[in-house]
Amino acid sequence: MTRFVMKTRADSPELRKAAMAIEQAAWSSLGFLNFTRAHFAFYEKLLEEHADCQLVMVDEATGYPVAVGNCVPLTCDFDNLPPEGWDWIVESAANNNGKRRNALGALAISVPNIHRGKGVARRMIEEFRALAERKGLDGVIAPVRPSEKHRHPFIPMEEYMTWKDEKGRLFDPWLRSHSAAGGKLLKPASRSMVVEEPVAFWEMWTGRPFEQTGEYALQGALVPVAMDIESDVGRYVEPNVWFAYRAAA
C-alpha cells in the first residue's frame, strides 16, 4: 500500500524544485492562465513568502511528490466573497496592508495524470483545513475550477453548478469532491481569472488563427474566449465556484 507524507516547499530546495515540476506537469496545457494580471504580478512571490503554506504530498517509497496544494493566508468575509475569485485571493494576499489574516485562500491542487484517481486531491482539501486550524485561522475559501466544465463551455456557470447526476449528487466530479469533503457551495465567482492579451497571444497558445470577431471555445477552457479583431484583443473571463470550509475541529 502506497504511503504518503505531507511536507511543504519550505522544507528543502529539492522539494521546492520538485513541487514546481509537479505544478507545470499538471497545468501546462492551460499555461495561458498564468497571464492574469494577479498571477503575473504576485503569484510566484506569494509562494515564496508563504512557503510553509505550499503543501507537498510525497510518496514515501520514492521520496518524490505526487501532488501539490497551494494556498495563501488572507483577510476575508466568508459571507461576502467577491466575483473576482482566484485573482482576488492573490491580490488580497499580496496587498494585505497589515490586516489580520483570518483564512487560507486555496489557489490550486496539482495532481499529474499518473497519480489521479488515488484520492490524493481529496486528501489535499483536508490538509488545507487542517493547516488553517494549526494556524488559528477561521477556515478556507476556495474558488473551485469544475473539472468537467470545459466540456460545456457555452453553458453558464450559474446553470452548470446546479446540475445533478443520476444519483442526485452534484454532476461535476470536482465540485462533488469539495462538497463531500465538507465544503459549503456558496455562489459563482464569475470573474475568477481574467486574461486579456493580443490576438497573437491566443494564436500562439492555440496554434490556430483568429480572423473574425466572436467567441471561440479553447481546449481546456471553461468558457469561450472573446476575440475582438478590430481592437486586437482576446479576453478570457473564467468563472469558478466559491466553496468555504470552516477549520477542522
Side-chain angles (χ1 to χ4, degrees):
M1 180 178 178
T2 304
R3 292 175 57 87
F4 302 119
V5 60
M6 196 64 61
K7 298 186 178 182
T8 76
R9 280 174 58 139
D11 289 335
S12 72
E14 292 76 19
L15 203 55
R16 174 182 176 275
K17 179 181 177 182
M20 293 174 67
I22 290 285
E23 290 177 64
Q24 291 182 22
W27 295 97
S28 59
S29 64
L30 296 172
F32 62 86
L33 292 176
N34 292 344
F35 292 88
T36 77
R37 184 178 63 181
H39 192 298
F40 195 75
F42 304 118
Y43 184 69
E44 293 300 332
K45 183 178 179 181
L46 276 176
L47 297 194
E48 294 304 314
E49 289 180 350
H50 303 285
D52 63 323
C53 293
Q54 313 317 315
L55 305 180
V56 185
M57 189 180 298
V58 177
D59 184 335
E60 283 192 331
T62 65
Y64 201 80
V66 298
V68 172
N70 302 115
C71 61
V72 289
L74 78 164
T75 304
C76 78
D77 178 352
F78 281 75
D79 298 319
N80 190 30
L81 297 174
E84 285 74 24
W86 195 98
D87 284 347
W88 173 81
I89 287 179
V90 171
E91 290 178 350
S92 296
N95 301 298
N96 193 63
N97 297 322
K99 293 180 287 186
R100 176 185 174 268
R101 299 176 190 261
N102 67 317
L104 289 178
L107 295 173
I109 294 177
S110 305
V111 184
N113 286 333
I114 193 172
H115 297 303
R116 291 178 184 173
K118 301 177 182 179
V120 295
R122 171 73 175 272
R123 179 175 169 187
M124 196 65 81
I125 297 172
E126 296 167 355
E127 292 292 339
F128 282 157
R129 298 183 71 190
L131 179 61
E133 175 70 15
R134 290 196 300 273
K135 287 184 171 292
L137 304 177
D138 299 332
V140 181
I141 57 171
V144 176
R145 190 176 199 272
S147 57
E148 293 298 305
K149 176 67 171 69
H150 68 98
R151 301 183 187 278
H152 310 278
F154 292 96
I155 299 296
M157 184 64 83
E158 291 82 357
E159 178 182 343
Y160 178 83
M161 62 185 278
T162 67
W163 285 4
K164 300 293 194 297
D165 65 10
E166 67 280 357
K167 297 181 179 179
R169 307 172 302 175
L170 289 170
F171 168 80
D172 188 86
W174 194 218
L175 296 184
R176 191 162 64 239
S177 290
H178 276 272
S179 181
K184 181 180 180 181
L185 189 156
L186 300 176
K187 59 184 178 181
S190 58
R191 299 190 300 275
S192 192
M193 302 187 80
V194 178
V195 181
E196 190 170 273
E197 294 290 337
V199 172
F201 169 93
W202 297 102
E203 291 179 337
M204 174 190 68
W205 277 107
T206 61
R208 57 160 294 180
F210 296 99
E211 299 174 346
Q212 295 183 336
T213 292
E215 292 190 333
Y216 295 85
L218 305 183
Q219 184 175 0
L222 304 192
V223 294
V225 61
M227 294 293 177
D228 186 329
I229 302 303
E230 183 176 343
S231 299
D232 187 30
V233 65
R235 192 165 192 261
Y236 177 74
V237 182
E238 177 168 299
N240 293 159
V241 179
W242 275 120
F243 273 81
Y245 295 83
R246 291 298 177 175

